[in-house]
Amino acid sequence: MTPADLSRTVLHAVRRAVDEDALRAPVPARVRVERTRPGGSGDYACAVALQLAGPAALPALEVARILRERVAAEPGVGRVEITGPGFLSFTLDAPAAGDRTVLAAVREQGLAYGHGDALRDEIHQFHHAREVRAAVTAQTVRRLLTAQGARVRTSCAEPPDPDWARLGVTVDAHGTPPVPLTGIRPVPAGATAGELLERLGPDAARWGLLRAAGHDRAALGPELLVQGEANPLFRVRYAHARARALTRGAAALGFTAEAAPYGESPTEPAARGASPAAYAANTGGASPAAYTEPVARGASPAANTEPAATTAYDAAARPLLDLIADHPGVLLAGARHRAPDRVARQLEAVAHAFFDFHDSCPPLPAGDEKPSAAHRARLAIAEAAGTVLAGGLSLLGIRAPEHL
C-alpha cells in the first residue's frame, strides 16, 4: 500500500462513518498522511480525527476510535493505533507485500507511475510574462496538473519568444486576458531562451530553470554541464542510464527482474555462462563490486545457493523503496503547490538512494557468482528506480537517455 492508497483508505473510512451516521461531520476533500517521525509509532500517521472533532462535536479520541475500527479491517493495513490527543498511527502489512505492490505498480504503469485523477475536477488558467523562466515554469506546472487529471490553459502577456519552442514551451493565447488569471511569477532568469540554449542546451537549461524554488534565483552557470557527481542533473540521468544498463546486463546473463522475497522459488535463469564480452557490452563496460551472498546459519558456504528466507530485500534497499513508494505523493504535491522544484529534489533523492543501494547490494552477480533470487529482487528495485527517474524527468521536459 502506497501513501496515496493509505490516504484514500482513510478518506473512505471517514465517508463510511458519515454514511453510517457514526460521525456527523463534513467529509474532507482529502486526508493527509505523513511518515511517522523518529521515535513515533507505526509507519504513517494522520491528524484527521483532530480535524473532524470540532465539526462532529466529539472528542478527538472518540473520532479516532470510530475511524480506527473502519481502517483496521482494510487490506494492506496491519495495525492502527491511537496516539497522543487523537492521532491515528498506521502500521502497514509486512514490508515484503507492500514492496511488491509498489514495484508491480511501477512496472504496470511505467512512466505514468504517480499520475492520477485526484485533481480531475479542477480547471486552471495561468498567465505569465514574456520571460523564459516564467514560460518554462508555467508549462511544467501545466504538465504536473494535467498528470493529475486537471484541465489547464496558459497564456502570455505578449507574443511568445520563438526560441521557447526549442525548450518545449507552447502557450494557448497571448495578450491581456479579459479577466484576471493566476500569475506564474518566478524570479526572472536574467537571460533569454536563445542565450540559455546556446550556453547550456535544452535539457540543462530546463533543469536550471526548474530546480530552484520560484522565489529563489535559478543557477544557470556552466556547472550544469559538468559530467560528474557534483552536478545533480548528471547524477539523476546517470542513475537512470545505469538502471537501464543493469537490465541489459541481466539479459546477457540470462535472467530478469522478479519482485519476490528471497524465500520464494523464482524460476532459475536459463543461461549462466554468458561471456565477459557479452556482459561488458550490455553494462557499458562497468564491473560491479564483488559481493558474496550471506551463508545461512549452520550451512557451509558451498551449500548456500540462496539467501535465508527472512526478508524480501536487503536493508540497504529500504530508503530507495520508500522514495519509490512516496513518488506519487510528491508528484501530487508538486502539482497542487505549482512547484516543479519538488519533483527535481525528489529525483535527486532517488538517484542518491539508487547509488547507495547499487553499491552495497549489486543487482548483477560478479565473477563466477550465479544469478540468484536476491539478484532478481534487486534488479526489480533498480528497474523501478529507473522508471521513476525517467517519468519524473519527462514531466520536467528533460530527456532521460539510456546511455551516457
Side-chain angles (χ1 to χ4, degrees):
M1 175 177 286
T2 67
D5 293 333
L6 180 59
S7 176
R8 287 190 289 268
T9 297
V10 177
L11 184 59
H12 179 65
V14 173
R15 287 199 185 100
R16 281 180 52 203
V18 171
D19 291 343
E20 295 166 5
D21 207 30
L23 193 63
R24 296 183 178 180
V27 178
R30 59 182 180 272
V31 171
R32 182 178 181 181
V33 299
E34 295 181 331
R35 285 204 174 276
T36 304
R37 294 174 183 174
S41 175
D43 300 315
Y44 295 92
C46 81
V48 66
L50 299 172
Q51 176 186 346
L52 297 175
L58 290 173
L61 287 172
E62 179 61 25
V63 175
R65 282 191 284 270
I66 291 171
L67 297 178
R68 177 178 62 180
E69 63 187 35
R70 289 165 173 79
V71 176
E74 293 293 327
V77 178
R79 185 173 73 254
V80 183
E81 300 173 273
I82 300 173
T83 61
F87 292 102
L88 289 169
S89 296
F90 310 97
T91 300
L92 303 184
D93 273 344
D99 294 341
R100 291 199 302 275
T101 299
V102 170
L103 296 178
V106 178
R107 179 178 286 270
E108 178 182 347
Q109 297 170 29
L111 299 184
Y113 173 66
H115 296 201
D117 60 358
L119 307 182
R120 62 185 177 279
D121 296 327
E122 296 187 8
I123 300 174
H124 297 272
Q125 296 189 66
F126 298 123
H127 190 68
H128 60 82
R130 192 177 188 269
E131 193 277 323
V132 62
R133 190 179 183 196
V136 170
T137 301
Q139 185 257 358
T140 307
V141 169
R142 177 178 186 163
R143 285 174 182 249
L144 294 174
L145 285 164
T146 301
Q148 302 301 325
R151 287 174 288 173
V152 185
R153 284 178 57 84
T154 60
S155 61
C156 180
E158 303 174 56
D161 183 338
D163 285 328
W164 289 358
R166 295 164 59 196
L167 286 168
V169 174
T170 60
V171 297
D172 296 308
H174 65 267
T176 303
V179 295
L181 302 178
T182 302
I184 300 292
R185 301 184 184 91
V187 174
T192 67
E195 292 168 346
L196 293 177
L197 286 163
E198 182 178 353
R199 286 195 288 112
L200 301 173
D203 292 327
R206 285 189 67 98
W207 179 271
L209 293 168
L210 298 171
R211 171 57 182 84
H215 54 76
D216 293 328
R217 187 172 297 280
L220 297 166
E223 65 275 5
L224 290 168
L225 300 177
V226 172
Q227 301 289 294
E229 292 187 2
N231 178 2
L233 173 59
F234 174 80
R235 190 172 178 83
V236 168
R237 298 173 87 188
Y238 182 61
H240 167 262
R242 181 62 189 147
R244 296 296 178 249
L246 291 172
T247 300
R248 297 192 298 271
L253 294 172
F255 74 98
T256 58
E258 186 169 348
Y262 294 170
E264 294 181 2
S265 300
T267 304
E268 279 299 308
R272 297 170 181 250
S275 68
Y279 175 84
N282 285 280
T283 58
S287 176
Y291 176 78
T292 302
E293 295 291 353
V295 179
R297 183 172 298 176
S300 66
N304 188 63
T305 56
E306 297 287 345
T310 53
T311 58
Y313 304 109
D314 302 88
R318 178 50 46 203
L320 180 55
L321 285 164
D322 288 345
L323 285 165
I324 293 171
D326 289 345
H327 188 67
V330 173
L331 296 187
L332 181 57
R336 281 193 171 125
H337 295 280
R338 303 165 199 159
D341 58 289
R342 295 191 178 203
V343 179
R345 289 196 299 273
Q346 162 77 354
L347 299 184
E348 290 179 21
V350 171
H352 182 81
F354 168 82
F355 284 117
D356 284 348
F357 165 67
H358 173 281
D359 293 345
S360 60
C361 304
L364 299 183
D368 294 333
E369 189 182 9
K370 304 302 182 184
S372 68
H375 294 113
R376 292 191 285 277
R378 294 173 195 164
L379 182 62
I381 300 172
E383 289 183 345
T387 299
V388 164
L389 293 170
L393 287 170
S394 176
L395 285 172
L396 298 180
I398 297 170
R399 293 173 299 168
E402 296 204 357
H403 301 271
L404 276 182

